[in-house]
Amino acid sequence: MDAIFVFEQLLNGLGYGLMLFLIAAGLTLVFGIMDTMNLAHGSLYMAGAYVAARVHEASGSFAGAVLAAVLVTVAVAAVLELLVVRHLYRRDHLVQVLATFGIILIADDAVKAIWGVAPLMASTPAALAGPVQLFEGLPYPAYRLLLIGAGLLVALGLYLLVNNTRVGMLVRAGASNRQMAEFMGVRVGAVFSFVFALGAGLAALAGALMAPISSVQVGMGEAILIPALVVIVIGGIGSVRGAFVAALLVGLVDTAGRAFLPPALRAVLPPSVAADLGPALAGIAMYVLMAAVLTLKPAGLFPARA
Amino acid sequence: MTNPASAVAHPSFATRFPGAVRRLPWLVLALLAVFPLLAPTLGLEYYVGFVRRVLIVAIAATSLNFILGYGGMAALGHAGFVGVGAYAVVALVEAGVSSAWLAWGGALAVAGVAAALIGMVSLRTRGVYFIMITLAFAQMLYYLAVSLRTYGGDDGYGLYTPLAMGAWLDGAHPDVFYWVVLAIAAGVFALFSRVAHSRYGHALRGIRDNETRMVALGYPVFRLKLAGFVAAGAVAGLAGGLLASHNAFVSPGVMHWTQSALLLVMVILGGLGRRWGAPLGVALWLTLEEVLKMHTDYWHWPLGVLLLLVVFHAPQGLAALLERRGGQGGAA
């Protein structure tokens, strides 16, 4: 286990963490502002991945595919918000879980009906298919560098939007104290519609970017949803900054767990025990992180509400 | 869940025919008991197994309804305990146990211990954080099961020889396992029903409605909640043990988080915190699933639409239609 391998894993963790951040940002804003638990957020991620994979295959343009994925998903999300989610704001969390679970069932079947049951093969754009020689002895896939770059860029853009614009001010006001914001004349409903669409766009972007390096299949939304929820709970519900820090933490812990735990266990335990225990511990590393954070800081690292 | 208008507007079936409602459970029980005997003549043999599965899932859902509906504990990891029970049976069989009663008892005990450990940590949190932390623990159990290669790992574990229920039971009739499940389901149901209306049940409801006041009144709130959580976890584990026997197969899939969500969905669909909520929700959901599967490959979306309809038009769940107004305590 040399320094280059460790550095490579750090980059992988960073990339995964940034993609988690794209998904978690929308989830945490919706949760923070409207107190709405949207289990169907993963379905928007799935929609982005499918649209991007098919448009890329049909048109050959990766940039066009990503753009199409974001636009289509935002349109779908707008309809979803109008028809269902808008009516869930003031209901309790369990009802929101129930309704958005219903949306998951509908979304999964819709994807099956449109694109079939078999997983799609999403190809890496030709220009980025090869490795980049980062430094002596470390060729790193160019596409994964694009992921990291895009993730950082979007995170920066979101940071500026939330902290330096009028819209961002309204978003922060809604997140920190909804009732007070309403008294002060903020149309929280309109802000929320905007945030929901923004979150959908980010989830679709993550889906489109992840498509070439993960499997595009029905159920991928449910698989990514739980890490995203873990991220927003660790970060503090409603906090974009918290989601960013937590996403990187979870990305690094998860990747490091998968890369370093099995060999470390093999070094100290009998092989059969290590072979069983390694993957298990790697799989639960982020949940242990979450339990530890909640024990020390019950409202997450950066609670949005005082 | 505050939309009492729909429940109050019309006099319900229960208000008009109280006697029928009181006798209905016994009628249903009798029908269920004779069903395996009538099934061959009606050409419904296949459905004996289906009803058995409904009964097993109803056991798990009843335990969830108890802590969620009466205790206000929104656990999104209940399938984790079902899985612990199922894997306890696998572990016991692997260790050479062949008695069904030992295996199922083991499932109950191991899941109870797991629920005690998880409950002691989870019950220190509230609201959404409780939902998330129970989910996190269930996911940990899921990954543990995936990695247990001795018990099949990802591929699951087949229980090739059925467990022995005792000499006079095994040889008697092919449907003995069905009746055993029915008896256990009825027992579990009666037990939780009784407890929900005991002093303990009332204290639990008091905690659900106003925890601070119950603390002020001197109730040992944490211990009362933990007791309920452990009981529900143990019973879910028993359901898991029965499910292992039912399927003759166990895989980590039984404790995937979507299974926990489904249990919640079935309970809320049936009627949260209502005596008949859990079995009604389970029976309706699984029956619809079975019927829709026969007709189309796309059987999820009608269920999704049903969920949305329930959320917007019948937030009290199905059981509200069967119960007398102001009878069993309202939904949380």
Side-chain angles (χ1 to χ4, degrees):
Chain A
M1 205 189 303
D2 51 9
I4 288 176
F5 179 67
V6 172
F7 187 71
E8 193 181 349
Q9 295 306 324
L10 281 179
L11 283 180
N12 285 346
L14 185 64
Y16 178 53
L18 286 167
M19 292 301 111
L20 273 182
F21 170 67
L22 294 189
I23 300 161
L27 204 55
T28 202
L29 281 174
V30 167
F31 210 129
I33 298 174
M34 295 314 282
D35 204 22
T36 300
M37 194 167 195
N38 177 22
L39 290 189
H41 196 68
S43 300
L44 300 169
Y45 167 83
M46 174 174 70
Y50 267 92
V51 173
R54 291 323 291 257
V55 172
H56 186 203
E57 190 189 79
S59 70
S61 159
F62 184 68
V66 173
L67 188 67
V70 171
L71 292 178
V72 169
T73 307
V74 167
V76 169
V79 174
L80 199 64
E81 203 261 341
L82 196 68
L83 290 181
V84 180
V85 181
R86 178 168 291 187
H87 307 288
L88 295 172
Y89 299 162
R90 313 240 167 222
R91 309 286 294 275
D92 70 52
H93 289 134
L94 271 181
V95 167
Q96 293 161 358
V97 165
L98 192 70
T100 52
F101 193 77
I103 296 173
I104 290 182
L105 295 177
I106 298 171
D108 281 354
D109 261 11
V111 166
K112 263 190 237 167
I114 302 172
W115 289 295
V117 191
L120 289 192
M121 289 318 236
S123 47
T124 314
L128 295 168
V132 171
Q133 199 71 25
L134 279 185
F135 48 79
E136 189 62 39
L138 179 61
Y140 196 73
Y143 186 74
R144 283 181 178 267
L145 288 178
L146 171 88
L147 283 191
I148 294 173
L152 286 174
L153 213 60
V154 173
L156 180 68
L158 203 59
Y159 177 81
L160 294 176
L161 178 79
V162 171
N163 288 300
N164 296 11
T165 65
R166 191 177 155 69
V167 173
M169 187 185 75
L170 300 180
V171 166
R172 277 179 292 139
S176 63
N177 191 333
R178 183 171 70 208
Q179 270 180 335
M180 184 58 77
E182 276 173 345
F183 282 137
M184 304 295 278
V186 177
R187 281 164 49 227
V188 176
V191 170
F192 175 72
S193 298
F194 166 76
V195 166
F196 193 79
L198 178 71
L202 292 176
L205 179 66
L209 291 175
M210 286 295 276
I213 58 167
S214 71
S215 143
V216 179
Q217 60 184 356
V218 173
M220 64 188 290
E222 287 93 280
I224 200 78
L225 178 71
I226 303 301
L229 285 171
V230 167
V231 163
I232 73 172
V233 167
I234 291 179
I237 289 168
S239 162
V240 176
R241 186 170 50 138
F244 184 73
V245 174
L248 293 187
L249 263 179
V250 168
L252 289 173
V253 163
D254 192 66
T255 309
R258 282 171 214 291
F260 304 130
L261 264 178
L265 287 175
R266 271 200 296 279
V268 292
L269 290 172
S272 63
V273 180
D276 269 358
L277 213 55
L281 290 180
I284 68 173
M286 71 167 141
Y287 302 105
V288 174
L289 176 71
M290 172 166 132
V293 169
L294 286 188
T295 311
L296 298 173
K297 303 200 79 172
L301 294 175
F302 301 94
R305 288 207 180 106
Chain B
M1 297 279 251
T2 44
N3 185 4
S6 61
V8 177
H10 314 286
S12 68
F13 177 78
T15 338
R16 275 178 288 167
F17 308 102
V21 169
R22 212 173 309 122
R23 257 162 285 162
L24 197 61
W26 293 105
L27 189 67
V28 172
L29 188 65
L31 272 178
L32 283 171
V34 297
F35 178 60
L37 302 175
L38 298 177
T41 28
L42 299 169
L44 296 172
E45 291 102 322
Y46 167 77
Y47 292 100
V48 176
F50 171 72
V51 174
R52 196 169 67 189
R53 185 161 71 94
V54 171
L55 289 168
I56 293 172
V57 178
I59 294 173
T62 300
S63 70
L64 179 60
N65 187 32
F66 180 71
I67 53 169
L68 176 59
Y70 298 99
M73 293 174 249
L76 186 48
H78 212 58
F81 300 124
V82 175
V84 168
Y87 274 94
V89 167
V90 167
L92 287 168
V93 166
E94 189 78 1
V97 169
S98 62
S99 154
W101 305 108
L102 267 182
W104 297 335
L108 181 92
V110 175
V113 171
L117 295 174
I118 291 174
M120 275 194 275
V121 179
S122 309
L123 287 171
R124 298 187 188 281
T125 63
R126 311 233 118 65
V128 173
Y129 289 99
F130 180 76
I131 295 181
M132 290 306 304
I133 207 156
T134 47
L135 176 67
F137 278 115
Q139 285 293 101
M140 292 186 201
L141 294 171
Y142 173 79
Y143 283 106
L144 187 69
V146 167
S147 69
L148 284 174
R149 249 174 288 176
T150 338
Y151 304 141
D154 236 347
D155 300 326
Y157 184 94
L159 296 149
Y160 298 108
T161 33
L163 293 160
M165 288 181 284
W168 59 276
L169 274 178
D170 287 318
H173 194 279
D175 293 315
V176 163
F177 182 36
Y178 173 97
W179 283 308
V180 167
V181 168
L182 179 63
I184 293 175
V188 162
F189 191 69
L191 184 73
F192 275 123
S193 221
R194 178 63 61 89
V195 173
H197 295 89
S198 68
R199 268 172 57 90
Y200 171 69
H202 284 286
L204 208 54
R205 265 181 275 183
I207 294 169
R208 176 193 71 191
D209 294 336
N210 191 337
E211 189 164 332
T212 319
R213 185 166 58 196
M214 297 302 280
V215 174
L217 287 171
Y219 282 86
V221 166
F222 182 80
R223 258 190 298 153
L224 293 179
K225 283 167 84 173
L226 186 63
F229 193 80
V230 171
V235 169
L238 173 64
L242 294 172
L243 201 63
S245 290
H246 170 83
N247 292 327
F249 179 74
V250 176
S251 82
V254 293
M255 51 174 115
H256 192 257
W257 77 266
T258 49
Q259 296 301 315
S260 296
L262 269 181
L263 278 176
L264 271 182
V265 159
M266 291 190 276
V267 168
I268 301 171
L269 181 68
L272 190 60
R274 289 175 184 276
R275 180 182 282 163
W276 299 103
L280 271 177
V282 171
L284 177 76
W285 187 270
L286 293 182
T287 306
L288 277 176
E289 201 179 277
E290 194 73 20
V291 170
L292 289 168
K293 262 184 195 168
M294 277 192 294
H295 294 289
T296 167
D297 285 341
Y298 304 112
W299 51 272
H300 289 102
W301 76 262
L303 294 172
V305 171
L306 172 73
L307 277 185
L308 292 177
L309 286 176
V310 167
V311 164
F312 291 120
H313 298 291
Q316 307 271 325
L318 290 169
L321 306 173
L322 280 173
E323 274 172 15
R324 235 171 301 188
R325 267 185 287 162
Q328 321 306 329

